[in-house]
Amino acid sequence: MKLIVAVIQDKDSNRLSRALVKEGFRATKLASTGGFLRSGNTTFMIGVEDEQIEAALHVIRSNCKVRDQLVTPVTPMSGTTDSYMPMPVEVQVGGATVFVLPVERFEHF
Ligand code: 2BA
């Protein structure tokens, strides 16, 4: 068994929830915050049998979009702060950041 941990954008979370349920996967949704953008995102924990991993990844891939997001750095990337003018930069976020972890033991009471 494996635990899929998938960090996705909030905008995709309802669609992904519905798709996972429709395809028979069980999942837990956690509210999370990205370390870089410091804005909300959603983390899914999905417990799956080894042979279901590719099917689960397919559902995630099909329901999570890559988007460009403008972010204004709070501190200069380099140099001094004297003449610092915050300039928005564009970063590409998602579709999904996925970790697949081995599950040593699973109990469901
Ligand atoms: P954030 O940390 O808010 O990052 C949002 C996006 O900002 C990232 O998109 C990436 O394009 C950019 N970014 C992140 N750190 C950067 C840096 N040091 N310099 C320049 N650009 C940077 P994604 O890579 O698609 O990541 C989306 C979210 O997935 C992240 O939100 C974070 O919550 C999670 N994540 C990504 N990689 C992770 C990792 N190795 N471990 C844990 N969580 C991760």
Side-chain angles (χ1 to χ4, degrees):
M1 186 177 207
K2 298 282 190 290
L3 180 68
I4 298 176
V5 177
V7 185
I8 68 150
Q9 294 177 67
D10 288 344
K11 286 175 184 162
D12 296 322
S13 74
N14 283 340
R15 189 177 45 230
L16 179 58
S17 286
R18 281 195 299 270
L20 286 169
V21 169
K22 189 168 161 237
E23 296 300 324
F25 292 105
R26 294 186 178 200
T28 298
K29 223 166 97 169
L30 307 170
S32 46
T33 304
F36 186 68
L37 295 181
R38 284 179 251 167
S39 62
N41 52 28
T42 303
T43 300
F44 278 78
M45 292 195 304
I46 311 162
V48 295
E49 296 303 332
D50 287 15
E51 56 276 13
Q52 297 177 307
I53 293 169
E54 290 310 318
L57 293 180
H58 177 74
V59 176
I60 297 169
R61 205 175 285 122
S62 316
N63 286 280
C64 298
K65 286 186 191 156
V66 175
R67 294 184 184 87
D68 291 328
Q69 202 161 317
L70 278 178
V71 53
T72 307
V74 284
T75 53
M77 303 251 187
S78 61
T80 65
T81 51
D82 297 347
S83 58
Y84 176 57
M85 291 275 291
M87 292 290 287
V89 289
E90 202 166 60
V91 292
Q92 206 175 62
V93 188
T97 301
V98 179
F99 305 86
V100 181
L101 315 173
V103 174
E104 196 172 296
R105 180 168 164 172
F106 171 72
E107 302 279 353
H108 184 227
F109 301 109

